[in-house]
Amino acid sequence: MHTPTLTILAALLTALVTAVLYAVWHFNKNIPGLRLWMLSFLCSLVFTVSLLLRGWLPEVVGVVISQGVVALGAYLCLLAGRSYMGLRPFSHLYAVAGIGALLALSVVFTLVYPHLGMRFVLMGVGSGVCYLLTARTLAVGGIHRVPARYLLAGVLCLHGLFVLLRPALFALGGAVPDGVLEGGLMASVSQFVLLEAIVATVLLSFGALILTNEFITSELRHLAEVDPLTSVFNRRAFFTLLDKAVSSTQRTHMPLPVLVLDLDHFKTINDTWGHRAGDDVLRHFVDLALRCLRKEDVMGRLGGEEFAIFLPNAGAQGARAVAERLRRLVESHPAVAGARSIPLTVSIGIALCGPGDAASAALQRADEAMYLAKQRGRNRVEMSGSAEPDTASAAVATVA
């Protein structure tokens, strides 16, 4: 297959990929980086079209267009990767300065000191570095947990290395000063480069679509597992995780502390200040609770103002210490709704889930301990099986 035919094929394929990515972005505009990837492929399309039109364009115009869109496309790819990973973009001033310097040098090596090899070097260095940086940006999170990112990162890395080494291939093929590629070896090199570009286009578009699917799947999982108001696990997801943690205790023979927490007089808060203030109180409470927890601790909302927490590898004393710290923190930090300060306390029940216990049974015992805390005056911590009042806890809340 001769070079013009490959160029036409590359242009058609890039146009198709750009159209597909635009359609996906049009209906999923919340996916980070997708619009930038679409624009990056659009730059590739402009580049392939400029190759087809190079016989009808002044040489310097064709060089400026080719160099500009290749550099811009690689930079947009880097921005897309950073956007997908939630990283801040680079300052565009550096990109404008870099691309401007690239174009100026390209004009110099076209009009002042004609040198096709140097133009290949300029085209390869900037874009190759951007592709390698994008690969480094995406290769985070663990290959077993997010394989799609590593797949795309691998393709970007190989493509970036090829782009950096591409000038050496043309040097081996032999390019004449006026930019016309001659000879069988040069034609073969040119065809090989176009084939690599076609394969890279297919694989990169495939990777971008896989990342789109990864993001959508993650969002759906988030909606299915996370309480939309407080952003902790919902009841169903919490029970699933608790069952897994209980299964782990069967192997390690270490008891798993389970806490049930209920905000005191929450109905009064809703009736007095309104449901919007009640929502603010729930979010405020969760923020305070998360301050007391480790990364491995799991918190969920069972419903209304009732929450549950399990603490792997904490033990009875560790669980009581966490519960007391949380109780004091809630008591000393009233919620703020607008200009109003809303006093807040919490009652906490603790149960230990040992080997052979069921998760539901442990949660039930923690719930009973929490109701015991309510009966003994609220704003206190009770351990399942404790018969005496917990003198370490303060019963300062007034029963409604």
Side-chain angles (χ1 to χ4, degrees):
M1 186 177 291
H2 61 299
T3 301
T5 303
L6 282 174
T7 306
I8 294 173
L9 178 60
L12 292 175
L13 181 61
T14 308
L16 177 62
V17 168
T18 304
V20 170
L21 289 177
Y22 174 80
V24 175
W25 168 76
H26 181 74
F27 295 105
N28 300 274
K29 293 185 178 179
N30 63 318
I31 299 177
L34 185 57
R35 175 174 171 270
L36 293 169
W37 266 308
M38 182 268 296
L39 293 176
S40 177
F41 278 98
L42 181 60
C43 289
S44 298
L45 175 60
V46 174
F47 171 68
T48 54
V49 172
S50 72
L51 290 180
L52 293 172
L53 298 178
R54 64 184 177 182
W56 291 273
L57 293 174
E59 184 182 15
V60 67
V61 174
V63 168
V64 168
I65 293 175
S66 298
Q67 295 278 11
V69 295
V70 167
L72 180 60
Y75 178 65
L76 288 172
C77 183
L78 176 58
L79 291 181
R82 291 184 64 84
S83 176
Y84 184 83
M85 298 300 293
L87 303 175
R88 291 192 304 174
F90 298 114
S91 173
H92 297 319
L93 291 177
Y94 295 110
V96 170
I99 294 176
L102 173 68
L103 295 180
L105 289 173
S106 299
V107 171
V108 169
F109 288 116
T110 302
L111 298 179
V112 183
Y113 304 105
H115 197 296
L116 183 60
M118 286 303 301
R119 297 208 302 265
F120 282 137
V121 171
L122 291 174
M123 182 178 290
V125 171
S127 57
V129 170
C130 282
Y131 289 130
L132 291 176
L133 288 176
T134 308
R136 178 64 184 87
T137 300
L138 292 175
V140 175
I143 190 170
H144 296 292
R145 195 169 68 87
V146 282
R149 297 182 196 173
Y150 284 83
L151 174 63
L152 181 54
V155 174
L156 285 165
C157 183
L158 292 175
H159 182 57
L161 290 173
F162 181 84
V163 169
L164 286 173
L165 297 175
R166 190 168 55 190
L169 293 177
F170 284 109
L172 291 175
V176 296
D178 62 359
V180 180
L181 304 180
E182 294 183 340
L185 180 58
M186 194 66 241
S188 299
V189 170
S190 181
Q191 291 172 10
F192 177 70
V193 169
L194 283 172
L195 282 173
E196 189 278 337
I198 291 173
V199 173
T201 298
V202 172
L203 293 179
L204 291 177
S205 61
F206 182 65
L209 292 175
I210 288 180
L211 285 191
T212 298
N213 179 71
E214 176 189 270
F215 180 83
I216 293 175
T217 302
S218 176
E219 287 292 291
L220 291 175
R221 185 183 299 114
H222 180 82
L223 291 174
E225 296 180 348
V226 175
D227 174 58
L229 177 62
T230 60
S231 297
V232 296
F233 288 107
N234 58 26
R235 182 185 184 92
R236 175 178 172 273
F238 179 81
F239 271 90
T240 300
L241 294 173
L242 179 59
D243 285 335
K244 292 180 180 179
V246 170
S247 298
S248 178
T249 65
Q250 312 301 331
R251 297 190 299 271
T252 61
H253 301 287
M254 293 184 62
L256 176 71
V258 180
L259 284 63
V260 172
L261 313 90
D262 191 271
L263 296 179
D264 298 326
H265 307 298
F266 186 72
K267 184 177 183 302
T268 303
I269 294 174
N270 271 335
D271 293 343
T272 304
W273 286 286
H275 289 281
R276 180 173 296 181
D279 291 344
D280 291 339
V281 166
L282 292 176
R283 285 190 288 264
H284 171 73
F285 168 72
V286 169
D287 289 341
L288 294 178
L290 294 177
R291 294 186 197 177
C292 301
L293 302 182
R294 305 162 299 173
K295 287 185 178 180
E296 61 266 34
D297 301 332
V298 178
M299 182 176 186
R301 185 184 180 192
L302 302 184
E305 71 276 20
E306 189 174 18
F307 296 82
I309 300 171
F310 64 82
L311 309 171
N313 305 315
Q317 292 185 351
R320 180 177 285 278
V322 170
E324 278 293 341
R325 186 163 63 250
L326 173 56
R327 184 195 64 78
R328 290 193 298 268
L329 189 64
V330 171
E331 183 183 23
S332 60
H333 288 75
V336 177
R340 298 161 297 190
S341 178
I342 304 175
L344 189 63
T345 60
V346 62
S347 298
I348 305 175
I350 306 173
L352 296 180
C353 183
D357 282 349
S360 57
L363 200 64
Q364 177 64 30
R365 293 199 304 272
D367 191 61
E368 292 171 354
M370 182 272 294
Y371 277 106
L372 180 61
K374 294 278 189 182
Q375 293 170 6
R376 290 178 171 175
R378 294 184 172 88
N379 188 27
R380 61 187 299 118
V381 176
E382 292 289 345
M383 179 78 75
S384 175
S386 175
E388 297 298 327
D390 183 1
T391 57
S393 301
V396 297
T398 303
V399 179

